[in-house]
Amino acid sequence: MSTTVIALALFAAVLHASWNAFLRTRADRLWTVTVMSFSSTLVSIPFALFHALPAAAAWPYVVLSAGLQVGYSVFLVAAYRYGELGQVYPIVRGSVPLLVTLGGYFLAGQQLTGPEILGVALVAGGIMGLSLGRGRASTTSILYALATGAIIAAYATVDAIGVRTAQDSGAYTAWVLVLYGALLPATFVALRGRLAVDLRAPETWKALGGGLFALLAYGVVVAAFALGPAGPITAIRETSVFFAAFIGRLFLGEALTPRRLSACAVVALGAICLGYQA
């Protein structure tokens, strides 16, 4: 891989950990993630309008993906309500490839390779390290984090099928984000009764900026995938687990014990084993 591809993958990892840290700092995280979604919606609308509509057969996948991403946002918010960034983030990141791999094994009869078996053991062990002993993550935060990972795995699977069915990845992605941008505020109103957004308030612009961070993180990793091999890029991106741990310590005052750092390292290594394809 070129230096540019490595730099893009690392930059994407930093951005992803950063916007999660931003979400972790807010008092009303559901409001924050809802306002953050406005950024991706505004960017996606022109793409949706200027692309041809996805094929008719793809629309069920568009709707399902958008709905699952709303669930992802709600459960991620809940996980950060009960747990710290340095605990929740590694569990979410590690559980996605773990659940995809186990799902393929149990539901589709796929055989596990040696690296995949090692990856399953490492991720499971790392999550146990974060959930046991002194300073462990709360059971509630672990359950929400695992549920978040399961939802991410589900919408990633839906998108993999939907993009092929749509025959236009740009149109598919744009419409998923537009629909997500409509469903998430509706979900907020259903749960809270009213969504108040004051464009003069600094918190509103901070949330919109956080949304741009999230969108940029996605765009940077897509650019990396366009320039280099997916397996190594995916592996490098898992360093976001370490960035989250250090960001949590430096900016959120979270503990960074050798035990927690070791557990994060084990989760990241396991995710690399599960996600790497030579």
Side-chain angles (χ1 to χ4, degrees), residues 3 6 11 20 46 71 164 171 174 187 190 224:
T3 303
I6 294 172
F11 187 39
N20 272 259
R164 290 196 296 269
T187 301

Side-chain angles (χ1 to χ4, degrees), residues 4 19-20 50 54-55 62 74 85-86 102 113-114 124 147 150 153 157 166 173 176-177 181 194 201-202 225-226 228:
T4 300
W19 80 254
N20 272 259
F50 288 105
V62 171
V74 172
L85 176 71
L102 292 178
T113 65
T157 303
T173 302
V176 167
L177 291 175
R194 179 173 177 266
F225 283 139

